[in-house]
Amino acid sequence: MLLDMQKLFSHQDAAQSIPFSLDFTQEDIPGCRAVAPCEGSLDIAWEGHGRRLRLKLAGSVRVETECARCLEPLQREIPFTRTVLLSAQDWMESEEDLPLQGNKLDVSELVYTEIVVSVPSTFLCSEDCEGLCPVCGRQCRLGCGCKIKDVTDGGFTLLD
Ligand SMILES: [Zn+2]
Ligand SMILES: [Zn+2]
C-alpha cells in the first residue's frame, strides 16, 4: 500500500481518513504471529495553513503466541498509534525515518514497523500465572498435586 506524498502535498485536500486492512500473517513478527488482517486507518490533516501535514496511524492486529510461564497458547490484540508531523518544504529530509519509495510512502512497511515495536517482549496468560510446576512440569493451575513448600530461583523444596 503506497501513498503518493508528492500528490498529497500538491493537492492539499481537506482532512481525510484512509482505512486499511493489511495481511501480515506471513511476516516475521518477533515473539508472535499475526492471525488476522491488521485493521486500522491513516488520518491525514493539514496544519499551519498547509505548511505541515499531520499523519496519524492507528490500528491493531491480533496475534497468537504463548504464555511465557506456562507455555499455554494465547491470542492478544496489539494496538498501535503513531503520529508524524511533516513540513511541506522538507518532508523528504524528515527525521521520522519513513519508509519511502521515491515520492511514495510505503504504508504497509510503516504499519509493520509499528507492530514490531508495539509487541510486548513477553506475554502472560494472566498476571498471576503460576507457570509450570518445577517438579512434574505440568501447569500449576491444573493442580498437579506436587507438594512444594517454596520455590526460589533455580530450586524448590518439597514438603516432608
Ligand atoms: Zn500462563
Ligand atoms: Zn507438579
Side-chain angles (χ1 to χ4, degrees), residues 66-72 74 123-126 128-132 139 141:
E66 59 187 25
C67 173
R69 289 188 198 146
C70 70
L71 310 179
E72 188 77 354
L74 57 88
F123 290 89
L124 294 177
C125 61
S126 75
D128 53 2
C129 171
E130 295 175 54
L132 298 175
Q139 288 173 37
R141 70 184 170 83

Side-chain angles (χ1 to χ4, degrees), residues 3-28:
L3 181 68
D4 192 329
M5 300 293 284
Q6 199 71 49
K7 211 165 133 193
L8 205 60
F9 278 111
S10 52
H11 306 79
Q12 295 185 2
D13 297 329
Q16 53 174 313
S17 181
I18 305 170
F20 59 78
S21 176
L22 298 165
D23 184 4
F24 295 108
T25 55
Q26 305 300 316
E27 300 291 326
D28 184 30

Side-chain angles (χ1 to χ4, degrees), residues 28-35 60-80 114-132 141:
D28 184 30
I29 303 171
C32 60
R33 187 171 76 78
V35 290
S60 69
V61 62
R62 189 155 192 85
V63 299
E64 186 175 66
T65 182
E66 59 187 25
C67 173
R69 289 188 198 146
C70 70
L71 310 179
E72 188 77 354
L74 57 88
Q75 290 196 359
R76 285 284 186 281
E77 195 74 22
I78 309 286
F80 56 86
E114 263 343 276
I115 292 174
V116 170
V117 299
S118 303
V119 166
S121 55
T122 53
F123 290 89
L124 294 177
C125 61
S126 75
E127 276 307 314
D128 53 2
C129 171
E130 295 175 54
L132 298 175
R141 70 184 170 83

Side-chain angles (χ1 to χ4, degrees), residues 133 135-137 144-146:
C133 169
V135 180
C136 69
C144 60
C146 300

